[in-house]
Every structure is written in C-alpha cells, then in structure tokens.
Amino acid sequence: MALELKRKKRFFSSIRFKFVIVYVLVNIISLQLVGVYFTTQLKSKNIATFQNTIVEQEKKLNYNILEEMVKIPTSADKLAIETNIKKIATEFTTTKLSLLNIVDNEMTIVASSTTDGSKNYSGKRSVDPIVRQVIKTGESASKEQTDDSGKVYWVYVTPVKSDDQILGAIYIVTDIGSVYDEIADMSNLLLIATVFSISVVTFIGFFASKTITNSIEKMSSQVDNMAEGEYGNIIGINTNDEIGDLAIAFNQISKKIKEEQGITEAERRKLSTIISSMMDGIISTDSSGKIILINQSAKEMLAYDEDYIFIGKDVLKILNITEYQTISEILEAEDSLLISINENDEELLYRIEFTQVIAEDPNEFYSLSKVDGYIIVLYDVTEKERQEKERREFVSTLSHELRTPLTTMNSYIEALEEGVIHDKELAPAFIDTIHKETVRMIRMVNELMQLGKMDIKEEHYDKELMDINKLVEKIVERFKMTHTDKNFILHTPEEPVFVDGDYDKLTQVFDNIINNAVKYSPNGKNIVVRVRQNYNQNRVSISIKDEGMGIPLSHIDKIFTRFYRVDKSRQRSMGGTGLGLSLAKSIIDAHRGKIWAQSREGYGTIVFVMLPSENMAEEWL
Ligand code: ADP
C-alpha cells in the first residue's frame, strides 16, 4: 500500500514519464527542424516565383513604353503619345498588381493605373526616392514596404532606357502579402500537425514505455518483497530481450539468496539455541564494548532487574569492572577476572574470560585484521571457590587438631623422660593421658577416613530390613550398663518399625548421639530416647533428649560440620573429636533421612533423626 502511494507520488520522476518526454521532445525537435527548413525553402521559392513573374511581365511593358517614349522628343503630338502610354498602362496586368506608375525622367507621373481604379496619380510628381535612384543610376531596384494596415507590398522599379539615355521609369507595386499569408497558413498547418503528432506520440510513447516499465516495476516490486524477506521468482517477464535476461539472472540470485538465507537462518537458530541453553553466561559486544547479545544465564548471573535492557550498554560497567578502562587492557594484562555479585544476601563468584573476535577482510590484499567485537564468558565459580575455601579450612583445622594432642603427648613424654617416669603417682597418670590422647587420635583418623570415603562415595552400605526399635533398645541397654550414673528412659512403639539400612552404621549414629548426651549432661539426669512412627509419611523419627548443658542457638546448625565444637578446648579434653555428628549426618543422608537438633542452653538438647520406614503388610509381622 505504501509502495503504491510512493509510486503514484513519484510519477513525474518515473522512467515512464521520462520515456514519454524523450519521445515527445524528439518528435517536436524533428518536426520543427523539418518545418523550419520546409517553410523557409517554400518562402524563398514562392517569393522568387512571384517576383520573376512580375519581372517578366514588366519586361514586355518596358518595351512597349520605351517605344512610345522615344517618340516624344521628335513627335509634335505629345498628347497622343501620352494617351498611348496611358492606354498601355491601363491594359497592363500582372500578378497581384496594386499600382502602376509610368514616370518620365523629370519624375512626373505620366500614367497611373490601379487594379481597383481608385487612385490616379497622373500628372503628379513621383516622391518615392527609389524612383529617383533608378532614373539616376539606370539600374532596376526593388524593395518591400508595409502600409499602415500592416500589408506587405513589393515595389519594383525599372528604368526605361534607350541606349544610354534614361527616358523614365516604370514603378510597379504588387501585393506580395498573399505569398506571406500562404506561408503563414503553411506554418499553422505545420503547428496543427505538430500538436497532433505530439498527442499521437505521447499516446504511443505511453503504451510503448509501459512494455518496458512494466517489467521494471515487476522487478522493483520483487526487490521490495525481498527487502521484506520474501524471496521468490519474478513472474510474467517472458521477453526474449535484455530485460528478460535480467529477470532470469534476478530469479537465479533470488533463489540463491533464499537458499543461503535458509542455511544462515538454520545456523543462526542452532547457535542461538546453543547460546541460550548454555549454563555459562555468554555476552557478545561490538568493538567498543557495547553489548549486542546476552544469554539468559548471563542475565540471571548478573542479577539485574528482570526487565533491565542490557543491549547497547557498556559491558565493563555492567560487570562493574573498574580497574580496567577497556577490554583490550584486560586482554593485554592476560588476566582472568573474578567478580563477586551479591544476590539475596548470597555472595556469588564469577570468573570472566574475554576473547577477541577478529574480522579478516577478504578483499584486503594484505589481509589486515581488525577487532570486530568481543565474546565474554562468565563461569559460576561460587561452588568451586567454596569447596576450595572449605578444603583450605579443613587442612588448617586438621593440622591444628593433630598438633594439639601431639604437643600434649610430646610434653608428657618429655616430662616422663626427665624423670617423672620414676614418680609412682604421676607416671601412671601421664601414661594414661598419653594413652587416651592416642586412642582419641586413632578414633579421629578412623572417623576422618570414613568421612573421606563417604565424600568420594566409596563407603559401602550393607542395607537390610531391620526393626529400628530393636536396634535402639540394644544400644540403650548397652549404655545403661556402662553409664549407671545416668537415667535412661526408652519409649518405643509396640509395633516393629522397619527401616532399610546399614545396621552397623546406624548403630554408630545412635552411639554417637547418645554418647554426646551422656558426655554433655551431668550425672543423675535423664536421657530419654523415643522412637515414633508416622505411617502416613512412611517415616520414623528417633529423638534423644538430655538435660545437660545445651547448645547456644547460634551454634545449633554448625554442630554437624566437621571439627565443630561449641567449646573447643573443654570438649576436646572430654575426648571429643568434633567429627561424630558430621559422620552421623553423612550416614543419615546416605539413608535419605534427616538429622537436626533443638536445644536450650542450660536446659538440655534434643537430637532428632528421621528415616524412611517400610510399611510392612501384616502377614510379614
Ligand atoms: P564431639 O566428638 O566433640 O562430641 P560431635 O560432632 O559429636 O563431636 O559434636 C559436636 C559438638 O556439638 C560437640 O563438641 C558439642 O559442643 C556439641 N554437642 C553435641 N551433642 C551435644 C549435647 N547433647 N549437648 C551439648 N552439646 C552437644
């Protein structure tokens, strides 16, 4: 529609209009050239014919008049001669004669004749200077003159001569205007013919040009379609001329572009799918560092508002990199950057790598390469860094945990060497401490090895269906016997509760929890162990409650991490390794269960273990 409007508007600059104009101009010029040549030729020929007729007629008249005039000097009857002359003058006829005067050499008009007989100049003196000139020179003369009404006359004056003696002159005035009128008529005719011819040529030109412009318009509309992404053939041009050839070439190009476009589009879609589905953040920029593409992962990583527009923004500002001004500076520094972004109070770490996109111009002889843009990849290294930090902390804690007992043992051994060994009271106490520390260290190393195996998922689980009530009862019974100073209370459901688990490892878990309850509560207090089954959810929960020192609220979640102890030195001296609960957590996790604690400082602690339980049919029981 817009195209139509455009076409209509620019009619006067269209090829069709120009074509018609050229047609018409060529026609006008050629007609005018022919016309001008024709009329000038006609004009000169007609005038010459007109004048020749008069000259010839006049020759006869001149002869007759001369015959009479030569008689005058000798004749006695001048009157008779004059009468004769008048008669000859009156009888003279020639083309378009207006006035005939016979003048003697005294410039007196002897005879005068007009076609309509309206005027007679006989006896008057001729006043026309041309007559005087002819009588004087003896040579014929002519001129054109125009009267007041614009009529054109041709005046022809000839001398009447006998030998060298000039006797007078013949003065002829003819109406040459009719010759001019004829030529004017011809010019008018030519003008009409020109106008007619212009109309016909315009008409023909309009239709003739249409055959060419039609093809061009078809091509042009196809080009417009191509610009809008619609590729196809130009139809309706079957001419066997240059335009036909052009249409064929055009169709081939269109087909080729369509194919190429298809390939490029498919490639583009593949690439865009790959980029958008990548977990790493991808940003592409132009050579000045302005963002031209950013994938979803990068948007999420950068934690801007959801509708934030990244396109066109400076990537260094977006990434909040202030230590470098340009990307090429970063590339020169060969630095891989780490940036941290705070998202929902969590610090996320990203490693950023920059790569240059080099465009090589195939037209350049010395293939000069220039930077076309940059690709920036963001890797989420939060987890990696966290693990790395944990590893470093673990190594430092472990060295500390090992060094402390070793230092203690070393100082005791030194003391023994320096003579305490002979002290009957101190020596056994020292050796006992060394022994306890050694046992604790062995336990620590064993637990660490077990944890290590669990970390790399190498720990083997011998799972079997067991009644958890029985397992808990057995452990509590054992504790009752070894720790008579504590009051153990056990609540188990009447029905057995089946759990698919590793008997030894679950024993290790409850041993550790109950041992903690024993360790961290004073003598004479209750330790309540309760097993509860939730049939609906197929879960069993085992809680171990003590009335001991409790755990401060800020520490409660940390007690399941390795080497974590609320009061380091005191609890170490109590034989704790700080690994028991983290080991318990790993085992419970491997059973798809949960472990957590509730506590109130000074009042006691409850540790909960929840495990998936099997809902057995009655006949199994
Ligand atoms: P440890 O061998 O030191 O007991 P654990 O991993 O078993 O190591 O326990 C971690 C820490 O949690 C203990 O050092 C102690 O501070 C705290 N804790 C665990 N159980 C209790 C409890 N029942 N009462 C008070 N504190 C406890």
Short mmCIF file of all heavy atoms in Angstrom, two decimals, residues 125-156:
data_model
loop_
_atom_site.label_atom_id
_atom_site.label_comp_id
_atom_site.label_asym_id
_atom_site.label_seq_id
_atom_site.Cartn_x
_atom_site.Cartn_y
_atom_site.Cartn_z
N ARG A 125 3.97 64.42 -59.23
CA ARG A 125 5.40 64.08 -59.21
C ARG A 125 5.61 62.83 -58.35
O ARG A 125 4.95 62.67 -57.33
CB ARG A 125 6.22 65.24 -58.62
CG ARG A 125 6.49 66.33 -59.65
CD ARG A 125 7.41 67.36 -59.05
NE ARG A 125 8.75 66.85 -58.87
CZ ARG A 125 9.65 66.80 -59.85
NH1 ARG A 125 9.34 67.18 -61.07
NH2 ARG A 125 10.87 66.36 -59.60
N SER A 126 6.49 62.00 -58.82
CA SER A 126 6.77 60.80 -58.00
C SER A 126 7.67 61.18 -56.84
O SER A 126 8.66 61.89 -57.01
CB SER A 126 7.48 59.74 -58.86
OG SER A 126 7.87 58.69 -58.04
N VAL A 127 7.28 60.78 -55.68
CA VAL A 127 8.04 61.21 -54.48
C VAL A 127 8.92 60.08 -53.91
O VAL A 127 9.73 60.30 -53.02
CB VAL A 127 7.09 61.72 -53.38
CG1 VAL A 127 6.55 63.08 -53.75
CG2 VAL A 127 5.98 60.71 -53.10
N ASP A 128 8.72 58.88 -54.42
CA ASP A 128 9.46 57.73 -53.85
C ASP A 128 10.94 57.83 -54.20
O ASP A 128 11.29 57.94 -55.39
CB ASP A 128 8.87 56.42 -54.41
CG ASP A 128 9.23 55.24 -53.53
OD1 ASP A 128 10.32 55.29 -52.90
OD2 ASP A 128 8.43 54.27 -53.46
N PRO A 129 11.83 57.89 -53.25
CA PRO A 129 13.27 58.06 -53.54
C PRO A 129 13.82 56.97 -54.46
O PRO A 129 14.78 57.20 -55.19
CB PRO A 129 13.94 57.96 -52.17
CG PRO A 129 12.86 57.85 -51.16
CD PRO A 129 11.55 57.77 -51.82
N ILE A 130 13.21 55.79 -54.42
CA ILE A 130 13.72 54.67 -55.22
C ILE A 130 13.61 55.00 -56.73
O ILE A 130 14.45 54.59 -57.53
CB ILE A 130 13.00 53.36 -54.84
CG1 ILE A 130 13.76 52.14 -55.42
CG2 ILE A 130 11.56 53.34 -55.27
CD1 ILE A 130 13.25 50.78 -54.93
N VAL A 131 12.57 55.80 -57.07
CA VAL A 131 12.34 56.18 -58.48
C VAL A 131 13.49 57.10 -58.92
O VAL A 131 14.10 56.91 -59.96
CB VAL A 131 10.96 56.86 -58.65
CG1 VAL A 131 10.75 57.30 -60.09
CG2 VAL A 131 9.86 55.94 -58.18
N ARG A 132 13.79 58.05 -58.04
CA ARG A 132 14.88 58.99 -58.33
C ARG A 132 16.20 58.22 -58.53
O ARG A 132 16.95 58.49 -59.46
CB ARG A 132 15.03 59.96 -57.15
CG ARG A 132 16.05 61.07 -57.40
CD ARG A 132 16.19 61.92 -56.14
NE ARG A 132 14.91 62.43 -55.68
CZ ARG A 132 14.31 63.51 -56.18
NH1 ARG A 132 14.89 64.21 -57.12
NH2 ARG A 132 13.14 63.91 -55.73
N GLN A 133 16.38 57.24 -57.63
CA GLN A 133 17.63 56.45 -57.69
C GLN A 133 17.74 55.68 -59.01
O GLN A 133 18.78 55.68 -59.66
CB GLN A 133 17.63 55.47 -56.50
CG GLN A 133 18.81 54.53 -56.45
CD GLN A 133 18.50 53.25 -55.65
OE1 GLN A 133 17.77 53.32 -54.68
NE2 GLN A 133 19.02 52.15 -56.11
N VAL A 134 16.58 55.09 -59.44
CA VAL A 134 16.58 54.29 -60.68
C VAL A 134 16.86 55.19 -61.88
O VAL A 134 17.66 54.85 -62.77
CB VAL A 134 15.25 53.52 -60.83
CG1 VAL A 134 15.12 52.91 -62.21
CG2 VAL A 134 15.16 52.44 -59.75
N ILE A 135 16.19 56.40 -61.91
CA ILE A 135 16.38 57.32 -63.03
C ILE A 135 17.84 57.80 -63.07
O ILE A 135 18.43 57.97 -64.13
CB ILE A 135 15.38 58.50 -62.92
CG1 ILE A 135 13.98 57.96 -63.24
CG2 ILE A 135 15.74 59.67 -63.85
CD1 ILE A 135 12.84 58.91 -63.02
N LYS A 136 18.40 57.94 -61.89
CA LYS A 136 19.76 58.44 -61.79
C LYS A 136 20.78 57.39 -62.23
O LYS A 136 21.69 57.65 -63.00
CB LYS A 136 20.05 58.83 -60.34
CG LYS A 136 21.07 59.95 -60.22
CD LYS A 136 21.13 60.37 -58.77
CE LYS A 136 22.34 61.19 -58.49
NZ LYS A 136 22.48 61.36 -57.06
N THR A 137 20.55 56.14 -61.70
CA THR A 137 21.55 55.09 -61.93
C THR A 137 21.29 54.31 -63.20
O THR A 137 22.19 53.67 -63.75
CB THR A 137 21.57 54.10 -60.77
OG1 THR A 137 20.29 53.52 -60.63
CG2 THR A 137 21.99 54.73 -59.47
N GLY A 138 20.04 54.25 -63.58
CA GLY A 138 19.68 53.45 -64.75
C GLY A 138 19.62 51.97 -64.44
O GLY A 138 19.58 51.14 -65.33
N GLU A 139 19.63 51.65 -63.17
CA GLU A 139 19.56 50.24 -62.74
C GLU A 139 18.23 49.96 -62.07
O GLU A 139 17.72 50.82 -61.35
CB GLU A 139 20.68 49.94 -61.73
CG GLU A 139 22.09 50.08 -62.25
CD GLU A 139 22.43 49.02 -63.28
OE1 GLU A 139 21.89 47.89 -63.21
OE2 GLU A 139 23.23 49.34 -64.18
N SER A 140 17.67 48.74 -62.27
CA SER A 140 16.41 48.37 -61.62
C SER A 140 16.63 48.28 -60.10
O SER A 140 17.74 47.97 -59.65
CB SER A 140 15.94 47.00 -62.10
OG SER A 140 15.91 46.98 -63.49
N ALA A 141 15.57 48.53 -59.40
CA ALA A 141 15.66 48.40 -57.93
C ALA A 141 14.34 47.89 -57.40
O ALA A 141 13.30 48.05 -58.05
CB ALA A 141 16.01 49.73 -57.31
N SER A 142 14.41 47.26 -56.25
CA SER A 142 13.15 46.77 -55.63
C SER A 142 13.25 46.90 -54.12
O SER A 142 14.34 46.99 -53.56
CB SER A 142 12.92 45.31 -56.03
OG SER A 142 13.91 44.51 -55.46
N LYS A 143 12.10 46.86 -53.49
CA LYS A 143 12.05 46.93 -52.02
C LYS A 143 10.71 46.41 -51.55
O LYS A 143 9.76 46.30 -52.33
CB LYS A 143 12.29 48.36 -51.53
CG LYS A 143 11.19 49.33 -51.91
CD LYS A 143 11.34 50.66 -51.20
CE LYS A 143 10.18 51.58 -51.55
NZ LYS A 143 10.25 52.87 -50.94
N GLU A 144 10.67 46.08 -50.26
CA GLU A 144 9.39 45.68 -49.66
C GLU A 144 8.95 46.78 -48.75
O GLU A 144 9.77 47.39 -48.07
CB GLU A 144 9.58 44.38 -48.86
CG GLU A 144 9.35 43.18 -49.71
CD GLU A 144 9.40 41.87 -48.91
OE1 GLU A 144 9.34 41.91 -47.68
OE2 GLU A 144 9.51 40.82 -49.57
N GLN A 145 7.69 47.07 -48.75
CA GLN A 145 7.22 48.07 -47.80
C GLN A 145 5.86 47.67 -47.24
O GLN A 145 5.11 46.93 -47.86
CB GLN A 145 7.19 49.46 -48.45
CG GLN A 145 6.17 49.65 -49.53
CD GLN A 145 6.26 51.05 -50.13
OE1 GLN A 145 7.36 51.62 -50.28
NE2 GLN A 145 5.12 51.61 -50.50
N THR A 146 5.62 48.21 -46.07
CA THR A 146 4.39 47.82 -45.37
C THR A 146 3.52 49.07 -45.20
O THR A 146 4.05 50.13 -44.85
CB THR A 146 4.74 47.25 -43.99
OG1 THR A 146 5.82 46.35 -44.15
CG2 THR A 146 3.59 46.53 -43.35
N ASP A 147 2.22 48.92 -45.44
CA ASP A 147 1.35 50.10 -45.25
C ASP A 147 0.85 50.15 -43.82
O ASP A 147 1.24 49.31 -42.98
CB ASP A 147 0.21 50.09 -46.27
CG ASP A 147 -0.84 49.02 -45.97
OD1 ASP A 147 -0.66 48.28 -44.96
OD2 ASP A 147 -1.82 48.89 -46.74
N ASP A 148 0.03 51.12 -43.55
CA ASP A 148 -0.42 51.33 -42.16
C ASP A 148 -1.18 50.13 -41.62
O ASP A 148 -1.14 49.83 -40.42
CB ASP A 148 -1.32 52.58 -42.07
CG ASP A 148 -0.55 53.82 -42.48
OD1 ASP A 148 0.71 53.74 -42.43
OD2 ASP A 148 -1.17 54.83 -42.85
N SER A 149 -1.90 49.43 -42.52
CA SER A 149 -2.69 48.28 -42.03
C SER A 149 -1.84 47.02 -41.90
O SER A 149 -2.36 45.96 -41.57
CB SER A 149 -3.86 48.02 -42.98
OG SER A 149 -3.34 47.65 -44.24
N GLY A 150 -0.53 47.15 -42.20
CA GLY A 150 0.37 46.01 -42.00
C GLY A 150 0.50 45.15 -43.25
O GLY A 150 1.14 44.10 -43.20
N LYS A 151 -0.08 45.59 -44.32
CA LYS A 151 0.01 44.81 -45.56
C LYS A 151 1.40 44.97 -46.18
O LYS A 151 1.96 46.06 -46.16
CB LYS A 151 -1.03 45.32 -46.55
CG LYS A 151 -2.14 44.31 -46.82
CD LYS A 151 -3.10 44.84 -47.83
CE LYS A 151 -3.88 43.69 -48.43
NZ LYS A 151 -4.80 44.16 -49.45
N VAL A 152 1.93 43.89 -46.74
CA VAL A 152 3.29 43.96 -47.30
C VAL A 152 3.21 44.06 -48.83
O VAL A 152 2.44 43.33 -49.47
CB VAL A 152 4.10 42.71 -46.90
CG1 VAL A 152 5.56 42.88 -47.31
CG2 VAL A 152 4.02 42.45 -45.41
N TYR A 153 3.98 44.99 -49.35
CA TYR A 153 3.98 45.20 -50.82
C TYR A 153 5.40 45.05 -51.32
O TYR A 153 6.37 45.34 -50.62
CB TYR A 153 3.48 46.62 -51.15
CG TYR A 153 2.02 46.81 -50.77
CD1 TYR A 153 1.65 47.36 -49.55
CD2 TYR A 153 1.01 46.41 -51.68
CE1 TYR A 153 0.33 47.51 -49.21
CE2 TYR A 153 -0.33 46.56 -51.32
CZ TYR A 153 -0.66 47.11 -50.10
OH TYR A 153 -1.97 47.26 -49.76
N TRP A 154 5.47 44.66 -52.59
CA TRP A 154 6.81 44.59 -53.23
C TRP A 154 6.85 45.67 -54.32
O TRP A 154 5.99 45.73 -55.22
CB TRP A 154 7.06 43.22 -53.83
CG TRP A 154 8.49 43.03 -54.32
CD1 TRP A 154 9.61 43.18 -53.58
CD2 TRP A 154 8.90 42.72 -55.65
NE1 TRP A 154 10.73 42.96 -54.32
CE2 TRP A 154 10.33 42.66 -55.63
CE3 TRP A 154 8.24 42.47 -56.87
CZ2 TRP A 154 11.09 42.37 -56.77
CZ3 TRP A 154 9.02 42.16 -57.99
CH2 TRP A 154 10.44 42.12 -57.93
N VAL A 155 7.79 46.54 -54.19
CA VAL A 155 7.89 47.67 -55.13
C VAL A 155 9.04 47.36 -56.09
O VAL A 155 10.17 47.06 -55.65
CB VAL A 155 8.18 48.98 -54.37
CG1 VAL A 155 8.29 50.16 -55.35
CG2 VAL A 155 7.10 49.23 -53.33
N TYR A 156 8.71 47.38 -57.40
CA TYR A 156 9.74 47.05 -58.40
C TYR A 156 9.83 48.22 -59.39
O TYR A 156 8.82 48.62 -60.00
CB TYR A 156 9.36 45.75 -59.10
CG TYR A 156 10.36 45.28 -60.14
CD1 TYR A 156 11.72 45.11 -59.81
CD2 TYR A 156 9.95 45.01 -61.46
CE1 TYR A 156 12.62 44.68 -60.76
CE2 TYR A 156 10.85 44.58 -62.42
CZ TYR A 156 12.20 44.41 -62.06
OH TYR A 156 13.10 43.99 -63.01
#
